[in-house]
């Protein structure tokens, strides 16, 4: 359970959080519920209901594969049916599946990275727009990455560069509908062991070595010379989602200990 820091900050708001079964998405969804929002937790993990049960406040779960248009659309429809509309979408699904130099990627592995880290945000934004417009406006927060400049995960870097482009360009398109589109770009983030691994096939000894090089590069590129925590990622995401950020749109906020990505 994640405690409210600003009690009532999201009172009366409906928030959809994707990737809510673990990691950053879980922390964001639990804190949003504790701060007064009605929250739809969306994920494809079969244990999602256990996480929803931890929420203090109004919460429901919806299982969907957000790498598909149908999944994204069904999730937004479910939120609107369950809670009467949508005010905020927080697109968290993503994450590098494999760490390896570009030359070592197979073509199907490249496609899988783009499907995981670009398409859920693109489909999610597209699917939520009519729901936000129906409320007279709203907010989309995308979770990008400082890996737009980093080693051993170039396809993922490209996907997150795409997320930044969606954020900047869509913000221009929909400003007139009172919709803000913003993003955070997390740096390396400490997390408890993942219940769902990024790479279901497991990591080879080479991949573990390349991962160690990534950790060294990420830590070295930061000014603070350390990884962040999940709570340090959830806090700026929820700030950007809140009305406190009403004059911020089209921005990608680095949350990476000083690494601008
Ligand atoms: N953890 C980090 O160090 C870090 C650093 C930079 C950026 N990020 C970004 O932050 C976000 C969250 O990272 P995390 O480490 O908390 O993630 P994670 O891998 O721990 O969890 C991702 C969640 O998304 C769900 N998911 C994956 N594919 C899905 C799909 N197709 N449909 C529905 N649900 C799906 C998983 O089931 C899981 O619950 C990602 O976008 C990631 O790229 C993370």
């Amino acid at each position: 359970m994640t405690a409210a820091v600003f009690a009532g900050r999201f009172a009366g708001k409906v928030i959809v959080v994707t990737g809510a079964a673990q990691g950053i998405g879980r922390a964001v969804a639990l804190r949003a519920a504790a701060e007064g929002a009605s929250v739809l937790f969306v994920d494809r993990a079969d244990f999602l209901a256990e996480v929803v049960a931890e929420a203090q406040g109004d919460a429901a779960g919806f299982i969907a594969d957000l790498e598909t248009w149908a999944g994204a659309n069904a999730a937004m429809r479910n939120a609107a049916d369950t809670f009467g509309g949508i005010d905020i979408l927080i697109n968290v699904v993503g994450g590098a599946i494999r760490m390896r130099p570009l030359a070592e990627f197979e073509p199907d592995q490249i496609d899988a990275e783009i499907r995981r880290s670009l398409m859920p945000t693109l489909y999610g934004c597209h699917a939520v727009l009519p729901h936000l417009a129906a409320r007279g406006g709203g907010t989309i927060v995308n979770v990008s990455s400082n890996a737009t400049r980093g080693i051993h995960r170039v396809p993922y870097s490209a996907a997150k560069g795409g997320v930044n482009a969606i954020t900047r360009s869509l913000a221009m398109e929909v400003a007139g509908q009172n919709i803000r589109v913003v993003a955070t770009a997390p740096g390396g983030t400490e997390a408890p062991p993942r219940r769902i691994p990024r790479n279901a096939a497991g990591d080879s000894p080479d991949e573990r070595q390349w991962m160690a090089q990534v950790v060294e590069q990420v830590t070295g590129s930061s000014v603070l010379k350390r990884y962040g925590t999940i709570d340090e990622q959830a806090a700026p995401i929820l700030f950007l989602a809140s009305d406190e950020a009403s004059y911020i749109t089209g921005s990608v906020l680095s949350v990476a200990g000083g690494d601008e990505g």
Side-chain angles (χ1 to χ4, degrees), residues 18-26 42-48 63-68 91-96 115-117 120-121 143-147 153 156 160 184-192 194-198 227 230 233 237 255:
T18 77
Q22 69 180 17
I24 295 169
R26 173 182 174 278
V42 185
D43 204 288
R44 66 178 172 192
D46 55 9
F47 60 83
L48 183 63
I63 294 196
D65 180 356
L66 296 170
E67 290 170 30
T68 68
N91 283 312
V92 187
V93 168
R115 272 200 309 277
R116 174 76 56 86
S117 289
T121 295
V143 177
S144 179
S145 175
N146 71 337
R153 55 221 196 282
Y156 170 73
K160 292 299 193 178
T184 67
T189 304
E190 280 168 24
R194 289 190 168 93
R195 292 178 75 176
I196 307 164
R198 293 275 186 81
Y227 266 41
I230 288 207
Q233 296 302 337
I237 290 168
V255 186

Side-chain angles (χ1 to χ4, degrees), residues 95-98 105 109-117 155-156 159:
I97 301 166
R98 292 182 176 81
F105 272 89
Q109 295 171 343
I110 294 174
D111 294 352
E113 300 285 350
I114 301 296
R115 272 200 309 277
R116 174 76 56 86
S117 289
Y156 170 73

Side-chain angles (χ1 to χ4, degrees), residues 52-181:
V52 175
E54 291 177 52
Q56 287 175 313
D58 200 13
F62 188 74
I63 294 196
D65 180 356
L66 296 170
E67 290 170 30
T68 68
W69 157 246
N73 196 36
M76 302 313 148
R77 223 177 324 108
N78 181 272
D81 290 348
T82 306
F83 297 121
I86 304 174
D87 299 294
I88 297 166
L89 168 64
I90 305 180
N91 283 312
V92 187
V93 168
I97 301 166
R98 292 182 176 81
M99 301 288 174
R100 49 178 62 198
L102 182 58
E104 303 285 340
F105 272 89
E106 301 294 334
D108 63 317
Q109 295 171 343
I110 294 174
D111 294 352
E113 300 285 350
I114 301 296
R115 272 200 309 277
R116 174 76 56 86
S117 289
L118 177 62
M119 300 317 292
T121 295
L122 191 51
Y123 289 143
C125 287
H126 184 269
V128 83
L129 285 178
H131 297 285
L132 299 182
R135 295 282 254 206
T139 303
I140 299 172
V141 185
N142 297 323
V143 177
S144 179
S145 175
N146 71 337
T148 48
R149 182 173 172 277
I151 61 167
H152 293 353
R153 55 221 196 282
V154 166
Y156 170 73
S157 306
K160 292 299 193 178
V163 168
N164 293 353
I166 293 167
T167 304
R168 295 194 179 105
S169 298
L170 185 59
M172 296 173 76
E173 273 189 19
V174 297
Q177 296 170 68
N178 196 28
I179 297 171
R180 293 187 302 114
V181 188

